[in-house]
Amino acid sequence: MKKKILGVILSLTMVAGILTGCGQTKETNTGATAKARTLEDIKKDGKIKIGVFSDKNPFGYVDSNGDIQGYDVYFAKRIAKDLLGSEDKIEFVYMEAANRVEYLKSAKVDVTLANFTVTKDRSEQVDFALPYMKVALGVVSPDNALITDVDQLKDKTLIVVKGTTAETYFMENHSDIKLLKFDEYQEAYDALLDGRGDAFSTDNTEVLAWALQNKGFSVGIESIGSIDAIAPAVQKGNKELLDWINNEIKALAEEQFFHKDFEVTLKPVYGDNIDPENLVVEGGELK
């Protein structure tokens, strides 16, 4: 009887192994990605899946009431309204900086609006639409040990988030600076508050906002690296959806939509500390 039971268990284990092996072959051995939903698929479903941050205030974050807010979110809702007739016809998918490309490749989202900076490497893996924002890197640190020049970071620890342009920039240009890396923005800010690092670098727009809300910290380096574009992204080859988003961005310029977005979501945070012309991009045209 024991032999019979053991035989059944072994048989089931072999079947499970075969099935698991097949799944791995499809996803990892061939490098295949899940097929993205077309524009028509999204319309038929009646809901669009858009990836955003949930911890990057003021661009994508969950507020004290549990509602998702921010500059990227404001735009995402307009996409849903113009494409599907209601801003409620949207499924927000929360993501981390390091999985933005992966979520598009695996079709977990239709569009990524998670403060996604356009880079050459990323452009080889996903398709970017026209930009709706521009940004550089900034560095925030405690007032009592303020970092005002990148040379001051030598022999110190700089906090960055994995998969960001800050991580890439400092790895490629300042290899002598020790990097402390985290998966999530909140983890990075907690590390700065706890003194586990001497400074934190990410988009200057974000560190400026954070410093305004956290007494005792300032952005000593307001701009480092190149001025980059931030744009929506779709899975590589999803041309119809990409074309629709590009046309949407061009059309929204007629009403100065992104300036309105700035007034609603960013002005309450920045006040007069940031000129919208240094951040907002209308019609997909960088100036």
Side-chain angles (χ1 to χ4, degrees):
M1 183 66 178
K2 288 183 179 179
K3 290 183 178 179
K4 185 175 181 180
I5 293 173
L6 180 59
V8 171
I9 293 173
L10 288 172
S11 297
L12 290 173
T13 302
M14 289 176 66
V15 170
I18 291 170
L19 291 173
T20 302
C22 290
Q24 289 175 336
T25 300
K26 182 178 180 181
E27 295 183 6
T28 59
N29 294 348
T30 66
T33 58
K35 189 176 185 302
R37 298 197 302 168
T38 65
L39 186 64
E40 192 60 33
D41 291 335
I42 294 168
K43 288 180 178 179
K44 286 180 179 178
D45 181 49
K47 184 161 285 192
I48 186 168
K49 297 178 182 179
I50 299 182
V52 296
F53 285 128
S54 62
D55 61 349
K56 192 170 184 179
N57 188 351
F59 299 97
Y61 67 100
V62 177
D63 66 17
S64 57
N65 296 318
D67 297 322
I68 186 71
Q69 306 282 1
Y71 186 81
D72 294 340
V73 173
Y74 190 93
F75 179 32
K77 290 180 178 179
R78 181 59 183 264
I79 287 175
K81 181 180 179 181
D82 290 349
L83 179 61
L84 301 172
S86 171
E87 65 178 33
D88 295 326
K89 293 184 176 181
I90 182 171
E91 179 183 335
F92 287 110
V93 179
Y94 300 155
M95 50 176 43
E96 298 170 359
N99 61 26
R100 288 174 292 189
V101 169
E102 173 201 331
Y103 272 38
L104 284 170
K105 285 186 171 183
S106 59
K108 291 180 180 178
V109 296
D110 302 307
V111 183
T112 290
L113 281 181
N115 231 221
F116 210 7
T117 305
V118 180
T119 67
K120 181 181 178 181
D121 178 63
R122 291 170 179 169
S123 296
E124 291 173 353
Q125 301 180 73
V126 302
D127 283 338
F128 282 101
L130 294 170
Y132 62 97
M133 196 169 83
K134 52 191 174 184
V135 71
L137 296 176
V139 178
V140 61
S141 52
D143 290 338
N144 59 9
L146 191 65
I147 301 296
T148 58
D149 188 280
V150 71
D151 289 338
Q152 293 174 258
L153 288 168
K154 291 178 180 177
D155 301 320
K156 289 185 169 60
T157 299
L158 177 66
I159 301 165
V160 295
V161 174
K162 296 175 185 177
T164 63
T165 50
E167 179 192 25
T168 302
Y169 174 80
F170 282 97
M171 286 179 64
E172 293 181 349
N173 297 283
H174 299 281
S175 58
D176 55 334
I177 297 174
K178 179 183 177 183
L179 300 182
L180 177 59
K181 304 178 183 182
F182 293 94
D183 291 318
E184 298 180 1
Y185 282 92
Q186 190 57 55
E187 292 176 326
Y189 282 122
D190 287 344
L192 181 62
L193 289 167
D194 294 344
R196 283 174 277 161
D198 298 287
F200 172 49
S201 180
T202 188
D203 294 349
N204 57 0
T205 48
E206 190 198 339
V207 289
L208 284 165
W210 188 85
L212 289 170
Q213 297 172 327
N214 289 268
K215 188 177 180 180
F217 292 85
S218 298
V219 179
I221 303 177
E222 292 192 1
S223 182
I224 187 172
S226 60
I227 301 298
D228 295 315
I230 287 179
V234 301
Q235 191 182 99
K236 201 76 177 172
N238 198 352
K239 188 176 184 304
E240 287 186 355
L241 180 57
L242 184 70
D243 289 345
W244 187 93
I245 294 172
N246 282 335
N247 289 332
E248 174 79 345
I249 289 172
K250 291 176 184 177
L252 290 175
E254 297 178 9
E255 59 185 80
Q256 292 290 285
F257 171 82
F258 290 106
H259 280 80
K260 293 178 183 176
D261 191 348
F262 179 95
E263 289 293 322
V264 173
T265 64
L266 303 186
K267 179 81 170 177
V269 175
Y270 294 126
D272 295 323
N273 291 285
I274 286 186
D275 182 347
E277 300 310 315
N278 293 332
L279 184 150
V280 173
V281 175
E282 294 284 4
E285 298 181 5
L286 285 170
K287 297 178 181 178

